[in-house]
Amino acid sequence: MTSEDQQTHGTGPGAEVAIRGTARGTAPAPLSILDLATVGSGYTPAEALAATTTLAREAERWGYHRFWVAEHHGMPGVASSSPPVLLAHLGARTTTLRLGSGGVMLPNHAPLTVAEQFGLLEALHPGRIDLGLGRAPGTDPATARALRRGRTDGPDEFPQQLAELTHFLDGDFPAGHPYRGLTAVPKGEGRPPVWLLGSSGFSAQLAGRLGLPFAFAHHFSGANTIPALDLYRSSFRPSAVLSEPYALIGVTAVAADDEPAARRLARSAALAMLRLRRGTPGPIPTPEEAEEYPYSPAEADFVDTWFENVVLGAPGRVADGLEALRKRTGADELMVTSHVHGHEARLRSYGLIAEAYGLTASVAEASA
């Protein structure tokens, strides 16, 4: 395979450089953001999407490495139902920030559709797009059925769906395959790196076996983080994409002036998660709603357990907590997420974390 072929097929040294992040400032590892365009109580989806756009632009200026958005459906508190649409919008308003899906839920879509969407994104914003894939529906069963419209393939067929998508991205279906003559258009010289996402061992083992980068959802499955990363590394086989494993973890992090203020903000996200797990998702509640909510003993236990995986406090303490987590898990990159109520508080939290790592000047200067 020639160097030109390698770039076309998303392999070779260029592909590995596109996957491995860049650490900036005093951060010992690359720092990135996962955002869901969260809709808080009292806000509209349009306001939430405008806030996400502002956050992406500031994240680029502050020095975060990449900015991912995730596919969710039927959730009033999440406006990022279509990552490709949102990524095209964010790409037009940033210039250097890597943008990607964290992720696209592949069972909800025909692989050819995903290949076309991300081929188009790569053509619009060359060298800046990541394609993160998940195997969960990202919604409730009824909504998943409505999305799939009678298709019978689901999470169990994920490896086959992934293989088909990869062939469409690379244009290399083998001779005799029924899709041999099909092309995902547009198809340029390069294609986005594929990441596998997960919160258990299935995708970890598959990513390792295929030699792909892996992103683990520590923010809602913290007990499985180390076992999944160990499985990923022990299963890893060098590929044309990666010579060694590369894993990032998503982690909820909230920074404020002090620990009580950060915890108060985080309780909004905790109550939102509680309602989601209970099957009654809604907008992100205000801190006042979270304080006044009458938690049952079981609900209080859920919230306490949820907080065990949250890094919060004053900026320096958050940086220390993230570094402790990185060392404990061996993660190659940290992707922070903060689903607190209030766009200003969320923006400031990410800015304070960037400042704590020396990624940027002070938050006041960066926002001027």
Side-chain angles (χ1 to χ4, degrees), residues 260-305:
R263 183 168 291 271
R264 183 172 184 271
L265 290 172
R267 288 193 73 85
S268 293
L271 179 55
M273 181 60 72
L274 172 63
R275 288 172 170 170
L276 176 63
R277 293 293 177 90
R278 201 176 55 194
T280 57
I284 306 298
T286 65
E288 291 77 16
E289 288 179 82
E291 289 174 341
E292 296 170 3
Y293 181 84
Y295 297 90
S296 70
E299 291 174 333
D301 287 344
F302 174 90
V303 169
D304 289 343
T305 300

Side-chain angles (χ1 to χ4, degrees), residues 17 20 64 71 84 143 194 218 223 323 334 361 364:
V17 169
R20 295 187 178 277
Y64 284 94
E71 175 185 350
T143 305
V194 170
H218 174 82
E323 174 59 5
L334 297 176

Side-chain angles (χ1 to χ4, degrees), residues 27 37 43 91 108 110 113 134 159 228 312 320 345-346 357:
Y43 291 94
N108 293 341
T113 298
L312 57 79
D320 290 343
R346 184 166 58 117
Y357 277 110

Side-chain angles (χ1 to χ4, degrees), residues 106 111-112 115 133 157-174 177 179 191 194 196 206 209-210 212:
L106 186 54
L112 175 57
L133 300 168
E157 287 75 38
F158 182 77
Q160 292 76 22
Q161 296 167 331
L162 174 62
E164 185 177 310
L165 170 60
T166 303
H167 284 307
F168 274 124
L169 289 171
D170 292 337
D172 64 352
F173 280 103
H177 193 283
Y179 297 156
R191 60 96 151 163
V194 170
L196 294 195
L206 182 61
R209 197 174 69 225
L210 298 177
L212 296 175

Side-chain angles (χ1 to χ4, degrees), residues 202-223:
F202 181 93
S203 292
Q205 189 170 32
L206 182 61
R209 197 174 69 225
L210 298 177
L212 296 175
F214 178 57
F216 186 82
H218 174 82
H219 53 299
F220 62 80
S221 188

Side-chain angles (χ1 to χ4, degrees), residues 15-161:
E16 186 144 1
V17 169
I19 290 167
R20 295 187 178 277
T22 301
R24 298 185 173 98
T26 60
L31 201 63
S32 298
I33 289 176
L34 170 65
D35 190 71
L36 303 183
T38 47
V39 184
S41 177
Y43 291 94
T44 66
E47 290 171 326
L49 291 165
T52 286
T53 304
T54 298
L55 176 59
R57 296 178 67 176
E58 291 298 285
E60 179 173 83
R61 181 155 46 171
W62 287 331
Y64 284 94
H65 179 64
R66 66 182 101 229
F67 190 99
W68 283 3
V69 298
E71 175 185 350
H72 291 281
H73 301 277
M75 298 181 187
V78 175
S80 61
S81 56
S82 179
V85 174
L86 184 51
L87 292 173
H89 173 79
L90 297 178
R93 286 153 180 81
T94 55
T95 57
T96 60
L97 187 67
R98 286 200 69 87
L99 301 167
S101 57
V104 163
M105 302 297 108
L106 186 54
N108 293 341
H109 311 280
L112 175 57
T113 298
V114 177
E116 289 178 334
Q117 290 171 340
F118 279 79
L120 178 55
L121 283 168
E122 179 67 23
L124 287 169
H125 311 295
R128 296 176 55 202
I129 302 298
D130 297 323
L131 173 51
L133 300 168
R135 60 187 286 267
T139 188
D140 61 273
T143 305
R145 288 194 297 272
L147 284 166
R148 296 171 189 178
R149 300 295 295 176
R151 288 174 51 208
T152 57
D153 52 343
D156 291 342
E157 287 75 38
F158 182 77
Q160 292 76 22
Q161 296 167 331

